[in-house]
Amino acid sequence: MRNLIGNLINTLGELFYPSNCVGCGHPQDPGILLCPDCRATSPRIRAPFCRCCSRPFDGLIEGEFVCPNCEDRTPAFDCVVSSYHAEGVLRDLIHRFKYGRQYYLRRLLAEYLAEAMQDVRIQASLIHCFVPVPLHPTRLRERGFNQAEALAETLSKRTRLPVLRGLERRRYTNTQTRFDRVERMQNLRDAFALRENSDVRGKHLVLVDDVLTTGSTLHECALVLRAAGAESVRAITVARG
Ligand SMILES: [Zn+2]
Ligand SMILES: [Zn+2]
């Protein structure tokens, strides 16, 4: 009986903490979800990068700078921290999590968010809560869960900062990947709204999403939160597309 329970505990333990790398499947020490080789396929973005959207700059530049995108159209968010390119194994993992319903990957992906939390721009001031980028109810039914919300909740357990589901997606927008930047912005206009009974007045918020592409989604979300009286809106994502 004791053996049976022991085995059961081990099996359950493996379900939650697989002993193989989730990228390449090679055996790993317990607690290591992604081996160093797989991790290295999506290198960390190093300075210099845009102070606002973290877009990396190829070449030499001294001190702080703001990229042409952020200069053209001042984003409604104070900054977005996204320290890894969505490429290699990380790109696959995000895809498996989001579309393949491999929900257990949330813990690993939230580690990338926890790393973003260490950035000076996030650490610089108080945070009241995380606000996940919402999904439209139709998309939520298709996908089964909101990946941004799942990540925010996992991060919330680590940081003990609460999650505020303060936004809703009112318009069902076509999938963004086929659009260029201007089309994306038009597609997203008025797509988000403050959820009923949400109070963000005077709050310092951190938006959470899986992937940063043009920043239009985060911009639109931040616009709504600002208009509702949020004191500051920063954002973090697992990676940038
Ligand atoms: Zn691996
Ligand atoms: Zn920028």
Side-chain angles (χ1 to χ4, degrees):
M1 190 64 191
R2 183 168 290 176
N3 246 349
L4 192 71
I5 292 171
N7 281 342
L8 191 66
I9 288 170
N10 280 341
T11 311
L12 283 174
E14 267 173 22
L15 278 178
F16 293 110
Y17 303 99
S19 52
N20 296 329
C21 168
V22 297
C24 63
H26 289 154
Q28 295 301 311
D29 290 336
I32 305 271
L33 294 171
L34 196 61
C35 77
D37 289 345
C38 285
R39 226 171 250 278
T41 61
S42 45
R44 198 177 199 292
I45 296 167
R46 303 271 171 207
F49 45 72
C50 170
R51 158 165 67 82
C52 185
C53 73
S54 301
R55 174 202 283 250
F57 181 81
D58 292 330
L60 281 172
I61 198 160
E62 289 289 322
E64 284 202 333
F65 87 102
V66 175
C67 77
N69 253 359
C70 294
E71 229 165 46
D72 273 8
R73 167 208 65 161
T74 309
F77 48 76
D78 297 284
C79 66
V80 45
V81 179
S82 186
S83 312
Y84 290 85
H85 286 292
E87 55 186 45
V89 173
L90 181 56
R91 185 173 174 275
D92 293 342
L93 295 176
I94 294 170
H95 206 269
R96 279 162 51 186
F97 174 59
K98 202 164 157 178
Y99 304 110
R101 299 195 183 198
Q102 296 192 15
Y103 196 60
Y104 71 96
L105 291 172
R106 70 191 182 285
R107 203 165 69 88
L108 172 65
L109 296 177
E111 281 179 19
Y112 286 85
L113 292 174
E115 199 175 326
M117 289 289 289
Q118 298 307 311
D119 189 278
V120 284
R121 292 165 291 175
I122 302 291
Q123 291 292 312
S125 64
L126 180 73
I127 297 166
H128 286 109
C129 42
F130 296 119
V131 179
V133 170
L135 278 187
H136 188 274
T138 309
R139 179 76 31 97
L140 190 63
R141 273 197 299 278
E142 284 167 11
R143 199 170 290 169
F145 73 110
N146 174 355
Q147 75 280 359
E149 199 171 299
L151 291 171
E153 269 159 12
T154 310
L155 188 63
S156 165
K157 289 201 187 91
R158 287 178 71 133
T159 57
R160 296 177 189 275
L161 289 165
V163 176
L164 175 74
R165 286 164 205 81
L167 292 171
E168 62 181 7
R169 200 155 186 151
R170 289 232 168 121
R171 279 204 305 118
Y172 185 83
T173 50
N174 285 319
T175 183
Q176 294 263 294
T177 36
R178 292 190 305 268
F179 294 147
D180 67 20
R181 186 161 156 258
V182 175
E183 286 172 328
R184 267 167 192 266
M185 283 163 73
Q186 282 163 354
N187 188 41
L188 281 171
R189 198 148 296 151
D190 303 322
F192 300 98
L194 195 73
R195 238 165 109 158
E196 211 176 328
N197 301 324
S198 298
D199 188 0
V200 297
R201 280 173 299 178
K203 294 216 169 103
H204 294 279
L205 308 172
V206 172
L207 281 163
V208 177
D209 206 358
D210 53 347
V211 177
L212 166 73
T213 40
T214 61
S216 308
T217 300
L218 293 170
H219 169 70
E220 292 294 328
C221 288
L223 266 185
V224 172
L225 295 169
R226 287 269 195 205
E231 185 67 30
S232 72
V233 184
R234 286 162 285 169
I236 52 173
T237 71
V238 173
R240 58 185 311 130

